[in-house]
Amino acid sequence: PLARGNVGDYVTQSGGLREDADSGRIILVHANGAAVPAGLSTPIRVGDVIIVPSRHIIRNVRLKSVFEEWLDSIVPLVTSALMVKML
């Protein structure tokens, strides 16, 4: 069943979008767990959750390179191996 209103109505009632909100990447999570892209005019169903990411989070996720991910996983292993060798 549809609730009254749309994503924009509920965002407004919650205080509005923050200055760093990425309104072009809103996600609507339905009560059954399905997540779909949404806009401010998307109708709301009972039990839906609205997620509005910040542009800062999106930018940081995109900028992390494969090399940085590799370093994040290998550095703890190398550090542990060096510590064991020193003992």
Side-chain angles (χ1 to χ4, degrees):
L2 291 176
R4 293 182 185 247
N6 56 35
V7 170
D9 295 334
Y10 282 87
V11 167
T12 300
Q13 289 177 24
S14 70
L17 294 171
R18 292 175 32 155
E19 64 184 43
D20 66 340
D22 191 346
S23 61
R25 297 190 182 272
I26 296 173
I27 299 168
L28 194 59
V29 181
H30 297 300
N32 67 2
V36 295
L40 293 174
S41 61
T42 303
I44 295 289
R45 296 182 191 167
V46 174
D48 285 352
V49 174
I50 302 166
I51 300 172
V52 183
S54 75
R55 284 177 280 190
H56 177 72
I57 291 172
I58 297 298
R59 186 171 40 248
N60 282 345
V61 169
R62 281 199 190 141
L63 291 178
K64 192 162 191 176
S65 70
V66 173
F67 180 69
E68 288 173 314
E69 289 178 8
W70 178 79
L71 278 177
D72 286 347
S73 63
I74 198 74
V75 167
L77 295 172
V78 172
T79 303
S80 297
L82 289 172
M83 290 179 70
V84 168
K85 187 174 182 180
M86 292 173 72
L87 296 176

